[in-house]
């Protein structure tokens, strides 16, 4: 009886079926391996092979992954659809980004991209709303929506947090957002912050005549998150925020199901993503993390600043294009630009990323010399000027808040 060996997982003549999940990896083989040997081991370990030659009665090779393309250190592996449990993202990732990340056969391996087939894609719910939130909730027209996070990130009392939110909303910000590490601490409890912030939101809406909302952070264990989603809905909030990587994809899927019951949008914060994607030759790319986030159902996702902010270099534009693209009828995702932004960077950001985005500034609002309200006005003025095609320096002549921000920060990129 013929055995199953690593060589059975390499076939450079294989043509992937339309139902296959195709994954692109960059590999750095171990010193005693060539790329072909490493590719066969990636396909084997991530599907139904192992290190020993197997004697199996009957055929299971129709469930084997196949390494079918090698281009330098880039390999492509096709996975038959039957390997995956529909709608189970943890199981999918246990296959395509599981044990292979620690194999001795490779010194480095990075999951760069995935081509998701229709059957697997449509087993996930995707976003409820996606980019439609810009107009369905905010009537933003042609401009990006705006968000800010009260600073300092943690340590503000509930009263202080609410006041910062009110000042930002009345200055022209659309969304107040909790930071990723603010949940239900004693200095600013979740329920108090939710209730009082939304009351201030209502006052800000009355004052400005504009719709406002709040990205309240529900991140916790799954049961607590679901309770917090329910509380947000009961208080009339349109959103919840989830730290999707630290929470875990199964928990995100549970939140997505509960949010659909209430008609709430999900804002995805990507805290911890760099643990997987910052090293350029190992881990999982932000592109793949974004894909997973969309399939699991987030409506908004932080995707970077196209090299304009304080965070490391990323393919923000390419990721955004994937989030916008048609994927078997699934709703799209609104990319959020964040991390070191201020009014002077808005024109270049819009030039690189377009207007179908959200722009979030923390220090670039609250660090304004005249305070949060003026900082919010300056950011909104920069966006309004950019959308109408007016140079910021010219617009600042009649808008003192923008003039002060430009004097302080200019167009410099922070570190």
């Amino acid at each position: 009886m013929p055995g199953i060996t690593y060589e059975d997982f390499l076939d450079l003549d294989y043509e992937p079926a339309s139902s296959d999940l195709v994954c692109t990896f960059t590999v750095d083989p171990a010193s005693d391996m060539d790329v072909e040997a490493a590719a066969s081991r990636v396909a084997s370990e991530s599907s139904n092979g192992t290190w020993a030659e197997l004697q199996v009665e009957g055929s299971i090779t129709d469930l084997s992954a196949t390494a079918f393309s090698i281009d330098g250190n880039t390999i492509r592996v096709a996975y038959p659809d039957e390997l995956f449990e529909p709608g189970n993202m943890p199981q999918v990732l246990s296959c395509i980004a599981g044990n292979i990340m620690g194999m001795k056969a490779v010194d480095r391996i990075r999951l760069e991209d995935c081509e998701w087939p229709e059957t697997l894609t449509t087993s996930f719910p995707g976003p409820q709303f996606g980019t439609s939130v810009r107009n369905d909730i905010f009537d933003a027209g042609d401009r990006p929506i705006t968000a800010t996070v009260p600073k300092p990130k943690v340590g503000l009392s509930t009263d202080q947090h609410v006041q910062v939110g009110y000042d930002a909303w009345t200055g022209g910000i659309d969304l107040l957002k909790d930071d990723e590490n603010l949940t239900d601490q004693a200095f600013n409890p979740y329920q108090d912050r939710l209730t009082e912030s939304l009351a201030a939101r209502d006052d800000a809406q009355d004052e400005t005549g504009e719709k406002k909302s709040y990205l309240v952070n529900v991140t916790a264990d799954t049961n607590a998150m679901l309770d917090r989603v329910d509380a947000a809905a009961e208080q009339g909030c349109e959103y919840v925020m989830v730290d999707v990587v630290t929470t875990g994809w199964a928990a995100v899927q549970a939140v997505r199901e509960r949010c659909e019951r209430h008609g709430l949008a999900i804002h995805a914060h990507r805290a911890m993503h760099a643990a997987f994607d910052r090293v350029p030759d190992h881990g999982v790319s932000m592109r793949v993390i974004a894909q997973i986030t969309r399939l699991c159902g987030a409506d908004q996702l932080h995707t970077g600043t196209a090299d304009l902010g304080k965070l490391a270099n990323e393919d923000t534009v390419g990721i955004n294009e994937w989030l916008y693209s048609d994927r078997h009828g699934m709703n799209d995702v609104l990319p959020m630009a964040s991390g070191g932004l201020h009014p002077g960077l808005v024109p270049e950001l819009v030039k690189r990323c377009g207007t179908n985005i959200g722009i979030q500034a923390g220090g670039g609002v609250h660090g304004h010399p005249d305070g949060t309200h003026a900082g919010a006005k300056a950011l909104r003025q920069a966006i309004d000027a950019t959308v109408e095609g007016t140079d910021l320096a010219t617009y600042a002549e009649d808008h003192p808040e923008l003039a002060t921000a430009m004097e302080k920060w200019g167009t410099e990129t922070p570190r």
Side-chain angles (χ1 to χ4, degrees), residues 97-344:
N99 285 350
I100 57 174
M101 294 294 164
M103 293 194 312
K104 291 181 178 179
V106 293
D107 289 338
R108 295 284 190 275
I109 179 170
R110 181 178 171 93
L111 176 57
E112 302 283 5
D113 199 2
C114 296
E115 298 171 32
W116 301 86
E118 182 174 7
T119 301
L120 185 57
T121 298
T122 56
S123 73
F124 293 94
Q128 283 193 81
F129 306 102
T131 60
S132 70
V133 298
R134 288 179 52 248
N135 288 311
D136 289 352
I137 295 179
F138 297 106
D139 193 23
D142 294 331
R143 69 169 176 86
I145 61 172
T146 57
T148 192
V149 180
K151 300 293 182 178
K153 296 170 66 170
V154 291
L156 296 176
S157 68
T158 300
D159 288 345
Q160 290 172 314
H161 189 278
V162 170
Q163 185 62 52
V164 171
Y166 179 79
D167 292 343
W169 277 318
T170 55
I173 294 293
D174 301 302
L175 282 161
L176 180 69
K177 189 185 87 66
D178 288 344
D179 220 316
E180 71 277 4
N181 51 351
L182 178 63
T183 53
D184 188 27
Q185 293 96 317
F187 58 83
N188 194 354
Y190 174 84
Q191 189 63 49
D192 292 347
R193 186 172 73 253
L194 172 68
T195 302
E196 295 179 29
S197 292
L198 290 176
R201 183 275 309 265
D202 293 344
D203 291 341
Q205 287 182 159
D206 291 342
E207 180 174 332
T208 63
E210 294 182 339
K211 179 67 179 177
K212 309 293 180 181
S213 195
Y214 178 27
L215 305 174
V216 61
N217 188 5
V218 301
T219 299
D221 70 87
T222 303
N223 289 331
M225 281 202 296
L226 298 181
D227 289 342
R228 291 175 188 179
V229 170
D230 292 342
E234 290 169 3
Q235 293 293 324
C237 196
E238 294 83 3
Y239 280 92
V240 296
M241 171 183 142
V242 180
D243 297 337
V244 292
V245 179
T246 58
T247 296
W249 301 111
V252 174
Q253 291 182 259
V255 169
R256 168 62 174 82
E257 182 178 353
R258 184 62 61 90
C259 282
E260 183 170 9
R261 184 184 305 176
H262 296 301
L264 300 184
I266 299 174
H267 178 93
H269 195 290
R270 57 180 183 161
M272 198 180 174
H273 75 96
F276 301 95
D277 69 28
R278 182 162 184 169
V279 178
D281 57 359
H282 190 76
V284 179
S285 71
M286 184 59 210
R287 181 181 181 87
V288 172
I289 293 172
Q291 293 170 1
I292 296 164
T293 304
R294 181 179 181 183
L295 267 63
C296 288
D299 299 283
Q300 298 177 187
L301 171 66
H302 295 246
T303 61
T305 60
D307 299 339
L308 291 172
K310 65 183 180 181
L311 302 178
N313 180 33
E314 300 177 310
D315 179 25
T316 300
V317 174
I319 292 168
N320 290 0
E321 289 175 350
W322 195 95
L323 293 176
Y324 295 138
S325 63
D326 178 57
R327 300 289 158 175
H328 310 295
M330 180 173 283
N331 283 339
D332 59 5
V333 174
L334 182 70
M336 296 294 294
S338 65
L341 293 177
H342 57 74

